[in-house]
Amino acid sequence: MIPIVGRNIKIFFRDKANVFFSLLAVLIIIGLYVFFLGKNLTSGLGDSPGAQYVMDSWIMSGVISVSGVTTTMGAFAVMIDDRANKILKDFTVSPIRSSKLAAAYILSSVVVGFIMSLVTFVLAEAYIFLNGGELLAPLAILKMLGLILLTVLTSSAMVYFLTSFFNSQNAFATASTILGTIIGFLAGVYVPIGQFSDNVQTIIKLFPMTYSASLMRQVMMEEPLKISFEGAPVEALDAFKLMMGHTIRFGESAVTPFISILILIGTALLLYGMSILNISRKAK
């Protein structure tokens, strides 16, 4: 199994176009923020100290959560190519069990997703620091590493479930384009969640990356919010958190970090299980 994992990772990083397009959604979000959205979002905080620091941390935490989906999708492109080129049939007639083969593709996607998300995290921290913000404290960095891994695992499960329906490269490419286009909206990155209608917010809350982005915002925005909202009423801070997707709420009940983590873990287990059932059904 390990040789197949190494092969898949090598193929992914050898294909420069695949690496680039797996990060394209991330680059688009950053570009939109730097050139168009940043000033408008920052101006919403008025003359509050650290307003730029707050908004930089907000957008970058969303970018990191999105990168987990797009990069694992790029990694699974290797599996789609193998399926389309009948290479998977060569594997299935070998002594390798189909369950181990599936695990190899999943593991390689997780490794690729974690590496690429880690690179995105480092670049995000560099951007925040160079733009006048501060680097995260060591404990916050450890929390982010754990959240990145959890996000990648959930993203891998979601993409694996999606790929279980595709056999052709064209169908997968189309699905990748659609998901890469809408993921910024679904994770509340292009536009703050609070600016959508209640019905749209409900749809966004059904998307697991919403909770990943929320958890990362709670870590990365902790210090900048203290600076920007020092002396401000608690109600103003709570309203801002709700508007920006820092806090997710159903009715009057806020979703706690523990519940958000359970949602991500439960989503990963459910989608992995459904993927296995779908692939087994198609094999029969």
Side-chain angles (χ1 to χ4, degrees):
M1 185 178 79
I2 299 301
I4 297 177
V5 173
R7 164 196 173 270
N8 294 344
I9 294 173
K10 186 181 296 184
I11 290 175
F12 172 83
F13 284 107
R14 192 169 58 197
D15 188 347
K16 305 304 180 186
N18 193 18
V19 173
F20 172 76
F21 283 109
S22 69
L23 287 174
L24 184 58
V26 170
L27 297 174
I28 290 174
I29 293 171
I30 293 175
L32 287 173
Y33 175 74
V34 172
F35 296 108
F36 301 103
L37 301 176
K39 290 183 179 180
N40 291 333
L41 291 171
T42 304
S43 63
L45 289 175
D47 297 327
S48 301
Q52 186 69 51
Y53 185 18
V54 170
M55 296 316 304
D56 287 348
S57 300
W58 175 77
I59 192 69
M60 290 305 162
S61 53
V63 163
I64 297 167
S65 68
V66 165
S67 68
V69 177
T70 59
T71 55
T72 52
M73 179 165 283
F76 274 117
V78 176
M79 185 182 75
I80 296 298
D81 289 343
D82 288 347
R83 188 178 292 166
N85 296 323
K86 310 300 181 184
I87 296 175
L88 270 180
K89 288 189 175 180
D90 295 336
F91 285 136
T92 54
V93 298
S94 69
I96 302 174
R97 295 174 58 183
S98 57
S99 59
K100 288 187 176 181
L101 183 60
Y105 283 108
I106 293 171
L107 181 58
S108 58
S109 76
V110 170
V111 172
V112 167
F114 185 77
I115 292 173
M116 299 298 286
S117 296
L118 192 59
V119 171
T120 305
F121 173 54
V122 172
L123 293 177
E125 280 291 277
Y127 176 85
I128 292 171
F129 180 74
L130 293 175
N131 215 23
E134 300 176 6
L135 297 177
L136 290 175
L139 180 59
I141 292 175
L142 289 176
K143 289 181 180 179
M144 282 300 297
L145 292 178
L147 291 176
I148 288 172
L149 180 58
L150 179 57
T151 298
V152 169
L153 287 170
T154 306
S155 301
S156 173
M158 185 171 62
V159 176
Y160 187 52
F161 177 68
L162 184 66
T163 57
S164 69
F165 293 94
F166 299 121
N167 291 315
S168 72
Q169 294 160 314
N170 290 337
F172 179 74
T174 301
S176 298
T177 301
I178 294 173
L179 184 59
T181 302
I182 66 174
I183 189 173
F185 290 103
L186 293 175
V189 178
Y190 290 129
V191 180
I193 293 175
Q195 293 187 5
F196 290 109
S197 65
D198 290 342
N199 291 334
V200 175
Q201 286 187 42
T202 300
I203 295 173
I204 291 175
K205 291 172 186 177
L206 297 176
F207 189 62
M209 291 305 104
T210 300
Y211 301 93
S212 168
S214 173
L215 287 167
M216 291 185 180
R217 286 168 185 149
Q218 290 173 32
V219 175
M220 295 187 68
M221 295 177 69
E222 182 177 0
E223 289 302 319
L225 284 176
K226 287 180 181 178
I227 296 172
S228 187
F229 282 84
E230 185 178 6
V234 176
E235 293 78 9
L237 176 58
D238 290 342
F240 180 77
K241 289 180 177 179
L242 192 61
M243 167 69 71
M244 304 307 292
H246 176 287
T247 302
I248 305 298
R249 182 175 293 173
F250 285 93
E252 297 299 320
S253 301
V255 178
T256 65
F258 179 70
I259 295 298
S260 294
I261 291 172
L262 287 182
I263 289 173
L264 292 174
I265 294 174
T267 300
L269 293 175
L270 176 64
L271 291 179
Y272 278 133
M274 292 176 66
S275 302
I276 293 171
L277 288 175
N278 189 41
I279 293 174
S280 300
R281 178 184 58 80
K282 291 172 69 175
K284 291 179 181 179

